[in-house]
Coordinates of all heavy atoms in Angstrom, one line a residue:
E1031 N 25.3 11.9 20.5 CA 25.4 12.8 21.7 C 25.2 14.3 21.3 O 25.7 15.2 21.8 CB 26.7 12.6 22.5 CG 26.7 11.2 23.1 CD 27.9 11.1 24.1 OE1 28.8 12.0 24.2 OE2 27.9 10.1 24.8
S1032 N 24.5 14.5 20.1 CA 24.4 15.9 19.6 C 23.0 16.4 19.9 O 22.8 17.6 19.8 CB 24.7 15.9 18.1 OG 23.8 15.3 17.3
L1033 N 22.0 15.7 20.2 CA 20.7 16.1 20.3 C 20.5 16.7 21.8 O 20.8 16.0 22.8 CB 19.6 15.0 20.2 CG 19.7 14.5 18.8 CD1 18.5 13.3 18.7 CD2 19.3 15.4 17.8
H1034 N 19.8 17.8 21.9 CA 19.7 18.5 23.2 C 18.5 18.0 23.9 O 17.4 17.5 23.3 CB 19.4 20.0 23.0 CG 20.7 20.7 22.5 ND1 21.9 20.8 23.4 CD2 21.1 21.2 21.4 CE1 22.9 21.3 22.6 NE2 22.4 21.7 21.3
E1035 N 18.4 18.0 25.2 CA 17.4 17.4 26.1 C 16.1 18.2 25.8 O 15.0 17.6 26.0 CB 17.7 17.5 27.4 CG 17.7 18.9 28.0 CD 19.1 19.6 27.8 OE1 19.9 19.1 27.2 OE2 19.3 20.8 28.2
E1036 N 16.1 19.5 25.3 CA 14.8 20.1 25.0 C 13.9 19.4 24.0 O 12.7 19.6 24.0 CB 15.0 21.5 24.6 CG 15.5 22.4 25.6 CD 17.1 22.4 25.8 OE1 17.7 21.6 25.0 OE2 17.7 23.2 26.5
L1037 N 14.6 18.7 23.1 CA 13.8 17.9 22.1 C 12.8 17.0 22.7 O 11.8 16.7 22.1 CB 14.7 17.2 21.2 CG 15.5 18.0 20.1 CD1 16.5 17.2 19.3 CD2 14.6 18.8 19.2
L1038 N 13.0 16.5 23.8 CA 12.2 15.5 24.6 C 10.9 16.2 25.0 O 9.9 15.5 25.3 CB 12.9 14.9 25.7 CG 14.0 14.0 25.4 CD1 14.7 13.6 26.5 CD2 13.6 12.7 24.7
D1039 N 10.8 17.5 24.9 CA 9.6 18.3 25.2 C 8.6 18.3 24.0 O 7.5 18.6 24.2 CB 9.9 19.6 25.7 CG 10.7 19.7 27.1 OD1 10.6 18.7 27.9 OD2 11.6 20.5 27.2
I1040 N 9.1 17.9 22.9 CA 8.4 17.9 21.7 C 7.3 16.7 21.7 O 7.8 15.6 21.9 CB 9.2 17.9 20.5 CG1 10.0 19.2 20.3 CG2 8.3 17.9 19.2 CD1 10.9 19.2 19.2
K1041 N 6.0 17.0 21.6 CA 5.1 15.8 21.7 C 5.3 14.7 20.8 O 5.2 13.6 21.3 CB 3.6 16.4 21.5 CG 2.6 15.5 21.7 CD 1.2 16.1 21.4 CE 0.1 15.1 21.7 NZ -1.2 15.8 21.4
A1042 N 5.6 14.9 19.5 CA 5.8 13.9 18.7 C 6.8 13.0 18.9 O 6.9 11.8 18.7 CB 6.0 14.4 17.2
I1043 N 8.0 13.5 19.6 CA 9.1 12.7 20.0 C 8.8 11.7 21.1 O 8.9 10.5 21.1 CB 10.3 13.5 20.4 CG1 10.9 14.3 19.1 CG2 11.5 12.6 21.0 CD1 12.1 15.1 19.4
G1044 N 7.9 12.2 22.0 CA 7.4 11.4 23.2 C 6.5 10.3 22.6 O 6.6 9.1 23.0
Q1045 N 5.7 10.7 21.5 CA 4.8 9.6 21.0 C 5.5 8.6 20.2 O 5.2 7.4 20.3 CB 3.8 10.4 20.0 CG 2.8 11.3 20.7 CD 2.0 12.1 19.8 OE1 2.4 12.5 18.7 NE2 0.8 12.4 20.2
V1046 N 6.6 8.9 19.5 CA 7.6 8.0 18.9 C 8.1 7.0 19.8 O 8.2 5.8 19.4 CB 8.6 8.6 17.8 CG1 9.4 7.6 17.4 CG2 7.9 9.3 16.6
L1047 N 8.5 7.5 20.9 CA 9.2 6.7 22.0 C 8.2 5.7 22.4 O 8.5 4.4 22.6 CB 9.7 7.4 23.1 CG 11.1 8.4 22.8 CD1 11.3 9.3 23.9 CD2 12.2 7.5 22.4
Q1048 N 7.0 6.0 22.6 CA 5.9 5.1 23.1 C 5.6 4.1 22.0 O 5.3 3.0 22.3 CB 4.6 5.9 23.5 CG 4.9 6.8 24.7 CD 3.6 7.8 24.9 OE1 2.4 7.3 24.5 NE2 3.8 8.7 25.7
D1049 N 5.5 4.7 20.8 CA 5.4 3.7 19.7 C 6.4 2.6 19.5 O 6.0 1.4 19.4 CB 5.3 4.5 18.3 CG 4.2 5.6 18.1 OD1 3.2 5.3 18.9 OD2 4.4 6.5 17.5
L1050 N 7.7 3.0 19.8 CA 8.7 2.0 19.7 C 8.6 1.0 20.8 O 8.7 -0.3 20.5 CB 10.1 2.7 19.9 CG 10.6 3.5 18.7 CD1 11.9 4.2 19.0 CD2 10.7 2.5 17.6
V1051 N 8.2 1.3 22.0 CA 7.9 0.5 23.1 C 6.7 -0.4 22.8 O 6.9 -1.7 23.0 CB 7.7 1.2 24.4 CG1 7.2 0.2 25.4 CG2 8.9 2.0 24.9
K1052 N 5.7 0.0 22.2 CA 4.6 -0.8 21.8 C 5.0 -1.9 20.8 O 4.6 -3.1 20.8 CB 3.5 0.1 21.3 CG 2.7 0.8 22.4 CD 1.6 1.6 21.8 CE 0.9 2.5 22.8 NZ -0.2 3.3 22.4
V1053 N 5.8 -1.5 19.7 CA 6.2 -2.4 18.7 C 7.2 -3.4 19.3 O 6.9 -4.6 19.1 CB 6.9 -1.7 17.6 CG1 7.4 -2.6 16.6 CG2 5.9 -0.6 16.9
M1054 N 8.0 -3.0 20.2 CA 9.1 -4.0 20.9 C 8.2 -4.9 21.7 O 8.8 -6.2 21.8 CB 10.0 -3.1 21.7 CG 10.9 -2.3 21.0 SD 11.7 -0.9 22.2 CE 12.2 -2.1 23.5
T1055 N 7.2 -4.7 22.3 CA 6.6 -5.5 23.4 C 5.2 -6.2 22.8 O 4.9 -7.2 23.3 CB 6.1 -4.6 24.6 OG1 5.3 -3.5 24.2 CG2 7.5 -4.1 25.3
L1056 N 4.6 -5.6 21.9 CA 3.3 -6.0 21.3 C 3.3 -6.7 19.9 O 2.4 -7.4 19.6 CB 2.2 -5.0 21.4 CG 2.0 -4.5 22.8 CD1 1.1 -3.4 23.0 CD2 1.5 -5.7 23.8
C1057 N 4.2 -6.2 19.1 CA 4.2 -6.6 17.6 C 4.4 -8.2 17.6 O 5.4 -8.6 18.1 CB 5.2 -5.9 16.9 SG 5.2 -6.2 15.1
P1058 N 3.6 -8.9 16.8 CA 3.8 -10.4 16.7 C 5.1 -10.7 15.8 O 5.3 -11.8 15.6 CB 2.5 -10.9 16.2 CG 2.0 -9.6 15.4 CD 2.4 -8.5 16.2
I1059 N 5.5 -9.6 15.0 CA 6.6 -10.0 13.9 C 8.0 -9.7 14.6 O 8.4 -8.6 14.9 CB 6.3 -8.9 12.9 CG1 4.9 -9.1 12.2 CG2 7.5 -9.4 11.6 CD1 4.6 -8.2 11.1
E1060 N 8.8 -10.8 14.7 CA 10.0 -10.7 15.5 C 11.1 -9.7 14.8 O 11.7 -8.9 15.7 CB 10.6 -12.1 15.4 CG 11.9 -12.2 16.3 CD 12.5 -13.6 16.2 OE1 12.1 -14.5 15.5 OE2 13.6 -13.8 17.0
H1061 N 11.2 -9.7 13.7 CA 12.2 -8.7 13.0 C 11.9 -7.3 13.3 O 12.7 -6.4 13.4 CB 12.5 -9.0 11.6 CG 11.4 -8.5 10.6 ND1 11.6 -7.3 10.1 CD2 10.3 -9.1 10.2 CE1 10.4 -7.1 9.3 NE2 9.7 -8.1 9.3
L1062 N 10.6 -6.9 13.3 CA 10.1 -5.6 13.7 C 10.3 -5.4 15.3 O 10.7 -4.2 15.4 CB 8.7 -5.4 13.4 CG 8.3 -5.4 11.9 CD1 6.7 -5.2 11.7 CD2 9.1 -4.4 11.1
R1063 N 10.2 -6.3 16.0 CA 10.6 -6.1 17.5 C 12.0 -5.9 17.7 O 12.4 -4.9 18.4 CB 10.0 -7.4 18.3 CG 8.7 -7.6 18.3 CD 8.1 -8.4 19.5 NE 8.9 -9.8 19.4 CZ 8.4 -10.8 18.8 NH1 7.3 -10.8 18.1 NH2 9.1 -12.0 18.8
K1064 N 12.8 -6.6 16.9 CA 14.3 -6.4 17.1 C 14.7 -5.1 16.4 O 15.5 -4.4 17.1 CB 15.0 -7.6 16.3 CG 14.9 -9.0 17.1 CD 15.6 -10.0 16.3 CE 15.5 -11.3 17.0 NZ 16.3 -12.5 16.3
K1065 N 14.2 -4.7 15.5 CA 14.4 -3.4 14.8 C 14.0 -2.2 15.7 O 14.7 -1.2 15.8 CB 13.7 -3.3 13.4 CG 14.0 -2.0 12.6 CD 15.2 -2.1 11.9 CE 15.4 -0.9 11.0 NZ 16.7 -0.9 10.2
S1066 N 13.0 -2.3 16.4 CA 12.4 -1.3 17.3 C 13.4 -1.1 18.4 O 13.7 0.0 18.7 CB 11.0 -1.6 17.8 OG 10.1 -1.7 16.8
L1067 N 13.9 -2.2 19.0 CA 14.9 -2.2 20.1 C 16.2 -1.6 19.7 O 16.7 -0.7 20.3 CB 15.2 -3.6 20.6 CG 16.3 -3.8 21.7 CD1 15.8 -3.0 22.9 CD2 16.4 -5.2 22.0
A1068 N 16.6 -1.8 18.4 CA 17.8 -1.2 17.8 C 17.5 0.4 17.6 O 18.5 1.2 17.9 CB 18.1 -1.8 16.5
M1069 N 16.4 0.7 17.2 CA 16.1 2.2 17.0 C 16.0 2.9 18.4 O 16.3 4.1 18.4 CB 14.7 2.3 16.2 CG 14.7 1.9 14.8 SD 16.1 2.7 13.9 CE 17.4 1.5 13.9
L1070 N 15.5 2.2 19.4 CA 15.5 2.8 20.8 C 17.0 3.1 21.2 O 17.2 4.1 21.7 CB 14.8 1.9 21.7 CG 14.7 2.4 23.1 CD1 14.0 3.8 23.2 CD2 14.1 1.4 24.0
Q1071 N 17.8 2.1 21.0 CA 19.2 2.3 21.3 C 19.8 3.5 20.6 O 20.7 4.3 21.1 CB 19.9 1.0 21.1 CG 21.4 1.2 21.7 CD 21.5 1.5 23.2 OE1 20.9 0.8 23.9 NE2 22.2 2.5 23.5
L1072 N 19.5 3.5 19.2 CA 20.1 4.6 18.4 C 19.6 6.0 18.9 O 20.3 7.0 18.9 CB 19.6 4.3 17.0 CG 20.4 5.2 15.9 CD1 21.9 4.9 15.9 CD2 19.7 4.6 14.6

Side-chain angles (χ1 to χ4, degrees):
E1031 301 189 344
S1032 65
L1033 297 180
H1034 295 289
E1035 66 279 0
E1036 289 88 353
L1037 287 176
L1038 291 170
D1039 295 327
I1040 298 174
K1041 183 179 179 181
I1043 293 181
Q1045 290 174 331
V1046 168
L1047 290 171
Q1048 293 177 24
D1049 295 335
L1050 287 176
V1051 171
K1052 288 180 180 178
V1053 176
M1054 288 163 51
T1055 57
L1056 300 176
C1057 181
I1059 305 171
E1060 183 180 5
H1061 76 90
L1062 293 180
R1063 295 198 304 271
K1064 291 181 177 179
K1065 182 77 169 181
S1066 297
L1067 179 61
M1069 290 304 98
L1070 178 61
Q1071 185 60 56
L1072 195 57

